[in-house]
Amino acid sequence: MRKKEVWTDRETWLASNAGSSAEQVKTLVDLLAGKGIQLLQACNKMPDPPLGSQSNESRIRKHCEALLSRLGNDPELGSPSHRLASLMLIEGLTDLQLKEHDFTQVEAMRGVWRPARAITLDRLFLPLSRVSIPPRVSITIGVAGVGKTTLVRHFVRCWARGQLGKGFSWVLPLTFRDLNTYEKLSADRLTHSIFSNTGEANLAAMAPGRVLLVLDGLDEYKTPLEFSNTMACTDPKKEIQVDHLITNIIRGNLFPEISVWITSRPSAAGQIPGGLVDRMTEIRGLTEEEVKVCLEQMFPEDQNLLGQVLSQVQANRALYLMCTIPPFCRLTGLALGHLYRTRLAVQEVELPLPQTLCELYSWYFRMALGGEGQDKGKVSPRMEQVTQGARKMVGTLGRLAFHGLVKKKYVFYEQDMKVFGVDLTLLQSALCSCLLQREETLASSVAYCFTHLSLQEFVAATYYYSASKRAVFDLFTESGMSWPRLGFLAHFRCAAQRATQAKDGRLDVFLRFLSGLLSPRVNTLLASSLLAQGEHRSYRDQVAEILQGFLHLDTAVCARAINVLHCLSELRHTELACGVEEAMRSGTLAGMTSPSHRTALAYLLQMSDIRSPEADFSLCLSQSVLQSLLPQLLYCQSLRLDNNQFQDPVMELLGSVLSGKDCRIQKISLAENQIGNKGAKALARSLLVNRSLISLDLRSNSIGPQGAKALADALKINRTLTSLSLQSNVIKDDGVLCVAEALVSNQTISMLQLQKNLIGPIGAQQMADALKQNRSLKELMFSSNTIGNKGAMALAEALKVNQSLENLDLQSNSISNTGVAVLMRALCSNQTLSSLNLLSPQPTRKLHQPRGSPGPRSSAWQEQHSEALRPDSKSPPGPRCTGHCSSGGRKPLPHTATPAVELHPGWCSQGAGTSTPAEQDPDNLRDSLFRYTQTS
């Protein structure tokens, strides 16, 4: 008799699916009697049973328990904030994300994210619509420290508890830190050796539902993924290089039936071809309220200290932007908290607050050392011993950090530690715990990484600063052999050259820290621990000259050049930037056109508040200067470029900026330039793809009918622009015909300015036809044209139908009393118009008094009618005429159930039900206008 434990899966299925109770007993007896083979032969025509369904459930349960054991089963552990519960769907990576350092991305964005649709975590792997399918390959990106690993662990923990991802039978979480420990793997070994609970069955057979393979931290993988040079592999049992295995899984050559979720920093995510990615999401930084909550959690019992830290973070815009990244926010809180406690302990209120990145990290390092004993020159023997040990430890860690930075290596293993001479027994010290974090991988090895990428860069800079004073050869050269480089300045020049030539900006922040170590304040903070007292004085001015030498190249301002300004700021050498900023504030920027001035201007556009709420470059930019600033203009929300004599070629450049995915420009004014129809066509092409611009001002140019047609065609597709000014562009009737056609389909434009465009009755008729169908336009400026009575009558017919227009300006349009009367009658049917401007260009004359009453009007008459003209006078509801002027200072009348109408001295209105022939005396008609009210 065989025990049930040694039955095959097929026999187990027969025993549990025999039908009635009697049949189950008979089958069981036959199986125990060893007649399983005959039973299987009798059932060979039956469909295959699910392979080991009961044992599969058992394996899944054990797998969930193992995951919870590894990740922690505490329900409160790692609960993400609201920002991680909802990710943002994006349509690919921008140039900024692909080419720039994470710090540069945060600084350039300034907290203004590109528009995106939110998707909750429980719908991350579901179809977006009823006709779409679930994504196979999903990528979630985010800058270093934003919370990608926290998100993955939260998702896996919730799946193991049955709270999320219920459509997945198996979730297999892996990190690239785990994969770094393998040289070769097969697809089967990847799942069965690393996740022992999955058993030896085929992955597709063991899981009746979907399987999710999670690959966390692509940016930490030791080998770049090469999709173009990788041989295809479809054999799950064949062992191949791990990077080839990953590329074949992503391509679908291996495990085509499973879903893959990859997390990465943006630059590393660019390795994966966009055509292989079905869904891309982004984790965004902390909001202002979440920054405050993060700091509150650090100082729960000291509200006074919390208030000081919060005020410092909020006062420094650059510091606040960095605090949107959780690890940096915690580092800032610790550093500032240590500073304020030191102030209190030594009673030195004048201890300066950190103004640069390097100063902040220097305070954090002092906190890690616990160096209160260094204040005021009081260094105890014990402190000296601690400092010497710390200096040695930082030296070895710095060498590790520097070479990792050069090789793009951010995760280190015990073997790496030994190679660089790091004493593993000292890694449990307080200093190392502030700099490094330790994690065990699935392969039973230990991985180390710096608590944040910026800390690796800071420690690397301290190593390079110290080593360059005695190094003979280039420290960047792996073999240690190069042309001799003697002295700190030679090595600094080499580092600056390497950083400015790096296309991905990975050495930008390293160079900032290296420059900042020469700052007087940083030297004071780190004296006797990492730096020698006063040694910066012999290098500081010469380093500033070296950095400024990189600004004299007459090319477009790039991120590397702007980083040189960051380095000068860290060095506390800010004369160049301050001079340009003062010129911007005083309006004398036109004379500053050198490459260094352009770079300083680009730096200020990125970091200073001078661009808020609007960057005004009127009367000060040439085409060459604008061309060099184009990459930085992307991140300005509002641009004023009036009166710069820009011609069509400049519009081609601006069009390329507005077409970029990175573009954040919401308002742009190009008034009083020399833009023709070719320039308008270039802008129109950008409007076809732009998703940020809401206001475009092209007044006083020469785009003509052809330019207006191009813009109108773009408006038929564009869904973001709400305000367009084409004033004084000679678009004529042909141009307004195209604009009117666009208004029929466009439902986002709310303000349209068409003054002074030689538009006649035909153009007015076309616009009137469009107004009968448009439901979004609220303000139409049509003044100083020649529409006459015929055009006024056409617009009057449109007002009877249109229920969205609130402000209509028809002044100086050769409209006689007949046209005015028709417009007045149309207002009886209109319920939305609150302002109608019919100001006459003729000289203002005294109001005509009633015949038969010679001499000046009585004070009672003037008081009566002046009361009627006030916007807040309590006249009966209905159309009302006022004497307000239609100048820029005019305020619209309060909206009432029936519209109030603004008219002006010199024109007349007619009530409903009365007739006013054109030949009626104008003065009598004018008097009746001012006395007119209608009861609704």
Side-chain angles (χ1 to χ4, degrees):
M1 182 181 292
R2 293 185 300 162
K3 294 185 178 180
K4 185 178 179 181
E5 286 77 21
V6 297
W7 286 357
T8 65
D9 289 330
R10 188 97 177 161
E11 290 173 337
T12 303
W13 181 83
L14 286 171
S16 58
N17 293 273
S20 64
S21 300
E23 291 175 344
Q24 290 180 9
V25 171
K26 183 178 183 303
T27 301
L28 181 59
V29 171
D30 290 338
L31 288 172
L32 293 175
K35 298 180 181 179
I37 296 178
Q38 292 89 333
L39 288 173
L40 290 173
Q41 290 175 348
C43 299
N44 59 1
K45 294 185 180 180
M46 297 176 63
D48 290 339
L51 184 61
S53 57
Q54 293 181 353
S55 58
N56 189 43
E57 292 178 4
S58 175
R59 286 198 296 266
I60 293 175
R61 184 171 60 255
K62 291 180 180 179
H63 178 60
C64 292
E65 292 172 356
L67 290 178
L68 291 174
S69 175
R70 190 176 64 176
L71 299 177
N73 198 15
D74 184 354
E76 300 300 323
L77 185 63
S79 297
S81 62
H82 177 69
R83 70 189 178 90
L84 294 184
S86 180
L87 307 181
M88 306 308 296
L89 281 169
I90 58 175
E91 297 181 359
L93 299 168
T94 65
D95 289 342
L96 178 72
Q97 292 172 320
L98 286 171
K99 298 178 182 179
E100 303 303 337
H101 191 284
D102 293 20
F103 268 31
T104 305
Q105 295 178 38
V106 176
E107 289 165 347
M109 296 295 294
R110 292 179 67 88
V112 180
W113 304 94
R114 55 174 166 163
R117 173 183 171 185
I119 183 170
T120 56
L121 197 55
D122 60 334
R123 299 193 59 82
L124 185 58
F125 304 103
L126 298 180
L128 294 179
S129 65
R130 294 181 180 178
V131 296
S132 60
I133 61 175
R136 181 182 176 272
V137 177
S138 303
I139 297 181
T140 297
I141 63 166
V143 297
V146 79
K148 300 181 291 295
T149 299
T150 302
L151 172 70
V152 166
R153 290 178 176 176
H154 172 71
F155 179 88
V156 173
R157 191 181 297 111
C158 289
W159 173 80
R161 296 188 190 126
Q163 299 169 349
L164 279 177
K166 297 179 181 179
F168 294 113
S169 297
W170 289 84
V171 172
L172 308 177
L174 277 172
T175 69
F176 281 92
R177 296 182 185 182
D178 299 324
L179 296 175
N180 280 336
T181 60
Y182 295 90
E183 293 300 328
K184 286 189 174 183
L185 275 176
S186 67
D188 284 348
R189 186 181 166 204
L190 175 72
T191 55
H192 305 315
S193 296
I194 297 179
F195 299 100
S196 57
N197 292 312
T198 59
E200 297 297 329
N202 179 269
L203 187 61
M206 76 178 187
R210 294 167 61 196
V211 178
L212 176 65
L213 176 63
V214 184
L215 300 173
D216 180 31
L218 174 60
D219 50 284
E220 296 177 343
Y221 188 47
K222 63 183 179 181
T223 307
L225 300 182
E226 293 286 347
F227 283 84
S228 58
N229 299 323
T230 301
M231 294 293 293
C233 176
T234 57
D235 183 0
K237 298 185 181 298
K238 182 179 179 181
E239 288 203 351
I240 55 178
Q241 293 181 23
V242 176
D243 57 319
H244 293 179
L245 175 66
I246 298 302
T247 55
N248 275 286
I249 289 176
I250 294 174
R251 282 192 179 277
N253 297 328
L254 293 169
F255 297 154
E257 71 282 351
I258 72 170
S259 299
V260 182
W261 182 23
I262 303 168
T263 67
S264 174
R265 288 167 56 198
S267 56
Q271 300 176 62
I272 303 176
L276 299 178
V277 180
D278 300 310
R279 182 168 299 174
M280 184 171 285
T281 53
E282 182 178 13
I283 303 177
R284 296 183 173 174
L286 301 174
T287 63
E288 187 172 354
E289 184 61 31
E290 287 170 335
V291 170
K292 184 178 179 181
V293 171
C294 180
L295 294 174
E296 286 175 347
Q297 292 172 348
M298 299 180 64
F299 309 103
E301 299 177 357
D302 195 337
Q303 293 300 312
N304 184 41
L305 183 59
L306 171 64
Q308 291 176 311
V309 172
L310 269 176
S311 62
Q312 172 65 9
V313 169
Q314 292 169 349
N316 189 327
R317 178 66 177 172
L319 183 60
Y320 163 73
L321 289 174
M322 290 296 103
C323 282
T324 59
I325 309 304
F328 189 92
C329 186
R330 290 190 287 270
L331 184 149
T332 301
L334 290 171
L336 292 178
H338 175 67
L339 183 152
Y340 286 116
R341 290 191 185 101
T342 303
R343 273 186 172 183
L344 187 62
V346 301
Q347 298 181 350
E348 189 173 339
V349 181
E350 297 303 322
L351 204 61
L353 293 170
Q355 297 297 320
T356 67
L357 204 61
C358 199
E359 290 176 16
L360 181 70
Y361 278 67
S362 299
W363 273 108
Y364 181 79
F365 189 82
R366 281 169 61 99
M367 179 215 67
L369 281 176
E372 281 84 353
Q374 299 176 61
D375 293 311
K376 293 188 175 181
K378 299 177 182 178
V379 182
S380 64
R382 179 183 177 280
M383 197 63 220
E384 238 177 72
Q385 185 179 1
V386 170
T387 300
Q388 289 177 359
R391 183 180 295 183
K392 182 179 178 181
M393 173 57 69
V394 172
T396 55
L397 284 180
R399 185 164 171 256
L400 175 78
F402 173 72
H403 287 282
L405 202 61
V406 172
K407 299 176 184 178
K408 300 184 182 179
K409 188 172 184 178
Y410 310 107
V411 180
F412 309 95
Y413 301 87
E414 291 185 357
Q415 183 180 358
D416 301 314
M417 297 292 189
K418 293 175 181 177
V419 168
F420 287 97
V422 179
D423 190 347
L424 298 179
T425 61
L426 298 178
L427 293 181
Q428 304 302 320
S429 64
L431 173 62
C432 288
S433 65
C434 290
L435 301 178
L436 287 176
Q437 62 184 23
R438 180 179 184 274
E439 180 179 321
E440 292 189 5
T441 67
L442 290 176
S444 300
S445 59
V446 178
Y448 298 89
C449 68
F450 288 86
T451 53
H452 190 252
L453 172 61
S454 58
L455 269 175
Q456 180 176 348
E457 293 164 320
F458 177 73
V459 176
T462 61
Y463 160 76
Y464 192 89
Y465 179 86
S466 301
S468 60
K469 296 173 188 175
R470 59 183 183 274
V472 177
F473 298 105
D474 186 356
L475 294 170
F476 282 89
T477 305
E478 281 188 49
S479 63
M481 297 297 294
S482 67
W483 288 105
R485 296 183 184 276
L486 300 176
F488 172 78
L489 293 176
H491 285 282
F492 183 90
R493 183 178 285 104
C494 174
Q497 288 173 342
R498 295 268 186 170
T500 53
Q501 292 170 2
K503 295 182 179 180
D504 55 4
R506 70 180 186 278
L507 297 177
D508 282 1
V509 176
F510 162 79
L511 187 62
R512 291 191 202 181
F513 283 132
L514 184 59
S515 304
L517 291 173
L518 295 168
S519 162
R521 286 188 182 179
V522 172
N523 182 267
T524 302
L525 288 169
L526 298 181
S528 72
S529 59
L530 288 182
L531 308 179
Q533 182 73 41
E535 66 179 350
H536 66 286
R537 295 170 188 158
S538 58
Y539 302 129
R540 184 168 176 267
D541 291 339
Q542 292 166 293
V543 164
E545 289 181 9
I546 292 173
L547 290 171
Q548 289 176 329
F550 289 96
L551 302 178
H552 296 318
L553 302 176
D554 194 9
T555 56
V557 178
C558 63
R560 305 290 82 74
I562 294 174
N563 191 63
V564 171
L565 266 294
H566 281 286
C567 294
L568 289 171
S569 176
E570 293 288 338
L571 193 61
R572 307 295 287 175
H573 196 284
T574 58
E575 290 82 358
L576 178 61
C578 290
V580 174
E581 184 169 12
E582 179 59 32
M584 287 192 69
R585 297 188 188 281
S586 60
T588 58
L589 190 63
M592 295 186 170
T593 59
S594 69
S596 58
H597 287 132
R598 298 179 189 182
T599 306
L601 179 56
Y603 166 77
L604 292 170
L605 284 175
Q606 188 179 98
M607 297 303 299
S608 175
D609 288 332
I610 59 172
R611 73 178 190 180
S612 300
E614 180 181 70
D616 189 352
F617 296 118
S618 301
L619 284 167
C620 66
L621 292 186
S622 64
Q623 177 176 342
S624 60
V625 174
L626 178 71
Q627 185 172 357
S628 66
L629 292 175
L630 284 179
Q632 303 311 314
L633 296 181
L634 279 168
Y635 312 111
C636 295
Q637 294 186 54
S638 182
L639 269 178
R640 184 171 291 278
L641 302 173
D642 301 345
N643 220 332
N644 280 304
Q645 299 183 357
F646 289 155
Q647 297 179 352
D648 292 344
V650 180
M651 296 306 105
E652 294 283 352
L653 298 173
L654 280 176
S656 66
V657 172
L658 293 172
S659 301
K661 288 182 180 180
D662 298 21
C663 184
R664 301 291 180 273
I665 301 174
Q666 296 181 2
K667 298 180 181 180
I668 186 169
S669 177
L670 294 163
E672 301 181 45
N673 283 291
Q674 299 173 16
I675 305 171
N677 66 80
K678 291 184 178 179
K681 290 177 181 178
L683 293 174
R685 287 192 294 271
S686 69
L687 290 179
L688 295 174
V689 295
N690 180 277
R691 296 187 179 182
S692 65
L693 196 67
I694 61 175
S695 176
L696 176 60
D697 187 351
L698 293 174
R699 57 191 160 83
S700 301
N701 283 284
S702 305
I703 70 170
Q706 291 300 314
K709 181 181 184 304
L711 291 168
D713 291 341
L715 290 180
K716 296 176 182 178
I717 297 175
N718 184 280
R719 292 294 178 266
T720 56
L721 197 70
T722 60
S723 175
L724 176 63
S725 176
L726 299 179
Q727 175 183 343
S728 302
N729 268 283
V730 201
I731 67 173
K732 302 182 180 179
D733 287 343
D734 291 341
V736 81
L737 168 63
C738 298
V739 174
E741 290 177 354
L743 288 179
V744 173
S745 59
N746 183 288
Q747 297 300 322
T748 55
I749 286 285
S750 61
M751 180 177 179
L752 183 60
Q753 298 186 10
L754 298 174
Q755 309 99 304
K756 300 180 181 179
N757 271 303
L758 304 180
I759 301 172
I762 297 176
Q765 179 65 58
Q766 297 295 332
M767 182 59 64
D769 293 341
L771 289 177
K772 293 177 182 179
Q773 301 179 60
N774 183 275
R775 294 293 179 268
S776 65
L777 195 65
K778 297 182 181 299
E779 186 170 348
L780 176 60
M781 314 303 286
F782 221 70
S783 62
S784 301
N785 286 296
T786 56
I787 68 172
N789 288 339
K790 188 174 180 181
M793 292 177 182
L795 290 172
E797 291 300 314
L799 289 178
K800 295 178 181 179
V801 179
N802 181 280
Q803 296 301 324
S804 64
L805 201 64
E806 297 176 359
N807 186 359
L808 178 60
D809 187 352
L810 296 177
Q811 64 172 316
S812 304
N813 259 296
S814 304
I815 303 175
S816 70
N817 293 337
T818 301
V820 172
V822 172
L823 286 167
M824 291 302 100
R825 283 194 291 271
L827 293 179
C828 298
S829 303
N830 187 284
Q831 299 296 314
T832 58
L833 197 70
S834 61
S835 176
L836 174 61
N837 188 350
L838 297 172
L839 180 66
S840 170
Q842 67 187 34
T844 303
R845 293 181 293 173
K846 292 172 61 177
L847 294 179
H848 184 74
Q849 59 186 0
R851 294 177 182 174
S853 54
R857 296 185 189 273
S858 66
S859 58
W861 187 94
Q862 294 178 6
E863 182 177 352
Q864 172 188 353
H865 291 283
S866 64
E867 179 67 22
L869 296 179
R870 289 195 196 104
D872 56 349
S873 61
K874 298 180 180 179
S875 58
R880 177 177 60 192
C881 306
T882 72
H884 287 280
C885 176
S886 181
S887 63
R890 176 175 56 81
K891 298 181 179 179
L893 293 174
H895 183 68
T896 55
T898 54
V901 182
E902 290 188 31
L903 293 179
H904 305 275
W907 289 107
C908 310
S909 175
Q910 182 73 15
T914 60
S915 61
T916 306
E919 63 272 10
Q920 181 177 349
D921 181 74
D923 289 337
N924 283 342
L925 188 57
R926 189 181 305 111
D927 281 342
S928 65
L929 165 66
F930 285 110
R931 291 193 297 270
Y932 168 76
T933 58
Q934 176 187 349
T935 304
S936 60

